Amino acid sequence: MLCFWRTSDLAVLLIWGVFVAESSCMNGNQTSLNGSLPESEVNTTLFVQMGAKALLCCPAPPMTKALLITWVIILKGQPPCRIIYKAETKETSETNCTDRRITWASTPDQSPDLLINAVALDHDRLYSCEIATPQGNFLRRHNLQVLVPPAVTLLPGENRTAVCEAIAGKPAAQIFWNPDGDHGTKQESHSNGTTTVRSTYYWEQNNVSSVFCFVSHPTGNQTLPIELNGSGGKSLGSYTLYIISSPIILLIIIGFIWLLKIIGFRKCRWTRPEASPAVEEDEMQPYASYTEKSNPLYDTVTKVEVCPASQGEVNGTDGLALSATGI
C-alpha cells in the first residue's frame, strides 16, 4: 500500500511555511493599523516554487515612525547586498547589489517589502529587513527555500526489475511502490542544490502484472504505471513505439526490394541486342544458292523456256519426244 501519511509531512510543511510568511505580513499590517508595535525580531521560512513570484515582508510599524529601512541579502560566496532607504530625505542607496530581479514591491515610502519577479535557484538565500523607529529597531528574517519539481521517469530494468527516477528535484523527492515489495533507493546530490532519487523495484511473483511508482514532492505528486511480463517490464510507451515502428520498417524493406527489381529489369532491356537485317540476308543466301544450283527440275524448266519455238517445227515427233523428256 502507498504510504500517504509519510508524504503528508512535506505537504503540511509547505503549507505552513507559506502561511507563516504570508500571515506574518498580514499580522504586521494589522498591528500597524491598530497603532501597536510588532515584535522586535521575527524569523520565518518561505517556500516558493522556481519561476513563481516571492514577496519578502518587513516588520510593519507605522510608516510615519520609520526613520531608516535596511535590507540585507546574504549572497553565496559574495559580499552581502545592502539596500538602505532614508525616510527623511527619501533617498535609496545600494551596495554590492547586482540582481535586477529583486525590486521594491511598491515605493519605499508606501511599502518597505521586496519582490522577486521570477524565483531562481540562486535566490535560495537569507533575507533580513530592519526598520529603525524612535521606539526602537524591528527585524524580520526570511529563509527563502526554492522548490524545484523533479523530472519523473519509469523504465523497465534488467533481471525482473523496474527503475523509477525523480531527477534534479529540490528538496529530494520520496518514491513509493504499489504493490509494496522489495526495492532499493539511492540519492545523488548535484552542485546546484538539487537531488536525483533512483528507486529499483524487484519482483519474484509471476502473478504481478503491473506496478505503480508514486513520487511525492512539495511541488506536486505523480503516479506512473508500468506493465510487467515474465522476463522484465515493458512500459506502455515501449509497446506503442514498437507497434508504430514495425510496419514502417517492413514498408522500407519492401520498397527497397521493389526498387532493386526495377533497376535490374531496366538493365536487361538496355543490354539486349536487336536483330540485324544483314544477318537475315546472309542466312537466306545459302538456301537460295542451293536451290539455283542443285535442283534438276529448276534447270530443266529453265532450258525448256529458253528453247526457241522454231525447234518444235522441225518434226512433230521429235518435239513430242523432247517434251516427254522434259517431263
Side-chain angles (χ1 to χ4, degrees):
M1 297 178 62
L2 297 177
C3 301
F4 294 102
W5 62 270
R6 297 180 184 176
T7 63
S8 61
D9 295 339
L10 290 175
V12 171
L13 181 62
L14 173 61
I15 297 172
W16 177 83
V18 176
F19 176 76
V20 167
E22 293 181 352
S23 63
S24 298
C25 295
M26 294 175 58
N27 292 336
N29 294 334
Q30 290 174 357
T31 55
S32 64
L33 293 176
N34 296 333
S36 61
L37 295 178
E39 298 179 12
S40 59
E41 184 174 339
V42 177
N43 296 319
T44 63
T45 300
L46 179 63
F47 296 89
V48 182
Q49 184 169 335
M50 187 173 63
K53 293 183 178 181
L55 181 63
L56 306 174
C57 301
C58 277
M63 290 303 295
T64 56
K65 297 182 179 181
L67 300 177
L68 190 68
I69 301 173
T70 304
W71 272 100
V72 179
I73 305 174
I74 305 300
L75 305 175
K76 294 181 179 179
Q78 299 181 19
C81 164
R82 294 182 182 272
I83 305 174
I84 301 175
Y85 173 76
K86 295 180 180 181
E88 183 178 1
T89 60
K90 295 184 179 181
E91 293 179 353
T92 302
S93 62
E94 297 183 359
T95 304
N96 300 322
C97 301
T98 58
D99 194 341
R100 299 297 96 187
R101 295 167 293 180
I102 303 176
T103 60
W104 293 104
S106 181
T107 56
D109 57 341
Q110 294 181 357
S111 174
D113 303 333
L114 289 185
L115 177 66
I116 304 177
N117 290 314
V119 173
L121 273 174
D122 55 355
H123 289 138
D124 199 310
R125 305 167 184 168
L126 183 63
Y127 302 78
S128 63
C129 177
E130 184 176 6
I131 296 181
T133 68
Q135 289 77 17
N137 294 345
F138 302 90
L139 178 65
R140 171 167 292 175
R141 296 187 183 92
H142 297 285
N143 182 15
L144 180 61
Q145 298 290 326
V146 180
L147 305 177
V148 181
V152 180
T153 61
L154 177 59
L155 298 173
E158 299 178 355
N159 301 325
R160 302 173 64 84
T161 61
V163 180
C164 185
E165 285 186 325
I167 304 171
K170 184 178 179 298
Q174 294 182 350
I175 298 178
F176 309 98
W177 294 91
N178 187 26
D180 191 13
D182 187 14
H183 63 275
T185 303
K186 296 181 180 180
Q187 294 188 3
E188 179 183 357
S189 299
H190 306 290
S191 59
N192 60 358
T194 61
T195 304
T196 295
V197 182
R198 182 180 297 103
S199 181
T200 304
Y201 182 86
Y202 309 91
W203 72 92
E204 298 179 356
Q205 300 83 358
N206 294 326
N207 57 353
V208 177
S209 59
S210 61
V211 295
F212 296 85
C213 171
F214 179 77
V215 179
S216 176
H217 195 263
T219 59
N221 301 328
Q222 298 186 50
T223 302
L224 280 73
I226 187 171
E227 294 187 359
L228 311 175
N229 54 29
S231 59
K234 288 289 184 179
S235 63
L236 299 178
S238 301
Y239 282 117
T240 304
L241 180 62
Y242 177 78
I243 293 173
I244 293 175
S245 61
S246 296
I248 296 177
I249 296 175
L250 182 61
L251 290 176
I252 293 175
I253 295 175
I254 294 175
F256 182 73
I257 295 175
W258 182 258
L259 181 62
L260 291 179
K261 288 186 177 181
I262 293 176
I263 295 174
F265 178 73
R266 288 181 178 178
K267 287 184 178 180
C268 292
R269 292 187 62 183
W270 291 340
T271 57
R272 181 180 296 173
E274 296 182 357
S276 176
V279 176
E280 292 181 358
E281 292 180 0
D282 294 340
E283 291 178 355
M284 292 299 296
Q285 187 64 30
Y287 177 75
S289 302
Y290 177 81
T291 304
E292 293 178 358
K293 296 178 181 181
S294 302
N295 193 342
L297 181 58
Y298 175 81
D299 295 341
T300 306
V301 173
T302 303
K303 292 179 181 180
V304 172
E305 290 179 354
V306 299
C307 288
S310 60
Q311 292 181 0
E313 297 177 355
V314 176
N315 192 341
T317 305
D318 296 337
L320 180 59
L322 182 60
S323 300
T325 305
I327 296 171

